[in-house]
């Protein structure tokens, strides 16, 4: 399974219009594209940062979809009165759902960098150590790990039932992150929290 994430700098006042456009205009057109299996949108209403992610059933599908997805992405950026800052392609290494995301769900994303030769070790550590510890925290809903095997970049996302649950998880999640990264020699590039504004993913369990 593979994914493409598009980071858009939006006007915060236009985020609700962008969400409506994604739901009403973008979403109905994606099933027409072969290999598409899901869509999500994370938003930071204070800064306007939005990350839209599409999921695909193969590397061939994500590569072939680029030309058809671009006008949809550009249209979303226009509705958000923003610009596309970055488009990245990932392998979905882990996908685990404990419970479905709800209306008030929040998500925390951690971007990291590891020696590309150690990327398999990163995946194994996430599956055997990070995920079992994280899913014991109250309010946990799901987790995923996206990787780029060539560059060693990765992004882990955890979904929480509410703002309260996510805030309460910060200290414990930080301890888990620091411990695992020290053993792997991984560098944390950024940690950011978002509203999970749209989640329609049919990616199967991969944990």
């Amino acid at each position: 399974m593979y994914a493409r994430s598009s980071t858009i700098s939006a006007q915060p006042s236009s985020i609700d219009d962008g969400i409506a456009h994604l739901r009403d205009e973008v979403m109905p057109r994606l099933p027409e594209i072969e290999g598409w299996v899901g869509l999500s949108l994370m938003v930071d209403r204070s800064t306007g940062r939005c990350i839209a992610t599409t999921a695909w059933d193969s590397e061939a599908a994500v590569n072939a979809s680029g030309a058809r997805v671009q006008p949809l992405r550009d249209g979303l950026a226009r509705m958000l009165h923003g610009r596309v800052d970055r488009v990245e392609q990932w392998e979905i290494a882990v996908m685990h759902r404990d419970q479905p995301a709800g209306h008030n769900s929040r998500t925390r994303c951690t971007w990291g960098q590891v020696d590309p030769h150690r990327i398999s070790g990163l995946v194994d550590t996430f599956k055997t150590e990070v995920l079992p510890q994280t899913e014991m925290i109250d309010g946990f809903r799901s987790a995923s790990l996206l990787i780029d095997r060539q560059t060693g970049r990765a992004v882990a996302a955890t979904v929480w039932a509410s703002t309260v649950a996510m805030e309460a998880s910060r200290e414990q999640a930080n301890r888990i992150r620091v411990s695992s990264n020290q053993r792997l020699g991984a560098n944390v590039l950024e940690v950011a929290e978002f509203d999970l504004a749209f989640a329609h993913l049919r990616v199967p369990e991969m944990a």
Side-chain angles (χ1 to χ4, degrees):
M1 305 295 289
Y2 288 79
R4 179 188 295 111
S5 62
S6 303
T7 302
I8 299 172
S9 293
Q11 291 293 329
S13 60
S14 297
I15 284 178
D16 286 334
D17 289 341
I19 294 170
H21 177 79
L22 187 82
R23 181 188 64 240
D24 299 335
E25 303 295 335
V26 177
M27 181 67 187
R29 297 177 62 182
L30 286 171
E32 302 170 0
I33 307 176
E34 184 175 357
W36 174 80
V37 293
L39 171 67
S40 68
L41 178 68
M42 305 182 300
V43 303
D44 183 335
R45 292 180 179 274
S46 62
T47 66
R49 184 183 185 186
C50 301
I51 303 177
T53 302
T54 50
W56 305 87
D57 64 12
S58 67
E59 187 173 14
V62 70
N63 289 335
S65 68
R68 295 188 66 181
V69 169
Q70 181 176 348
L72 301 179
R73 178 173 58 242
D74 292 344
L76 176 61
R78 286 193 297 272
M79 287 301 299
L80 288 165
H81 290 88
R83 66 179 186 277
V84 178
D85 287 336
R86 174 180 288 185
V87 179
E88 296 175 284
Q89 200 161 295
W90 308 92
E91 175 187 340
I92 303 175
V94 179
M95 175 65 71
H96 172 66
R97 298 180 186 87
D98 186 61
Q99 297 183 48
H103 180 69
N104 296 315
S105 291
R106 302 289 308 283
T107 183
R108 177 185 298 117
C109 292
T110 302
W111 286 267
Q113 177 76 53
V114 69
D115 186 314
H117 294 97
R118 305 190 73 177
I119 198 74
S120 293
L122 174 67
V123 175
D124 290 341
T125 297
F126 190 86
K127 289 180 176 180
T128 62
E129 298 181 27
V130 175
L131 184 55
Q133 294 179 66
T134 304
E135 65 182 346
M136 296 297 293
I137 304 175
D138 288 344
F140 172 82
R141 289 294 179 263
S142 64
S144 59
L145 177 66
L146 279 58
I147 62 172
D148 183 330
R149 292 186 183 273
Q150 291 187 333
T151 66
R153 277 177 56 86
V155 55
T158 52
V159 176
W160 303 90
S162 64
T163 298
V164 171
M166 187 175 67
E167 290 175 348
S169 74
R170 283 176 186 156
E171 183 176 347
Q172 192 170 350
N174 184 62
R175 288 199 300 267
I176 296 168
R177 181 168 54 245
V178 169
S179 176
S180 61
N181 286 337
Q182 284 178 342
R183 288 196 300 278
L184 288 164
N187 294 318
V188 174
L189 303 176
E190 183 185 5
V191 180
E193 297 176 343
F194 302 88
D195 292 340
L196 184 57
F198 190 88
H200 185 91
L201 295 174
R202 293 177 290 153
V203 177
E205 180 79 4
M206 301 169 61

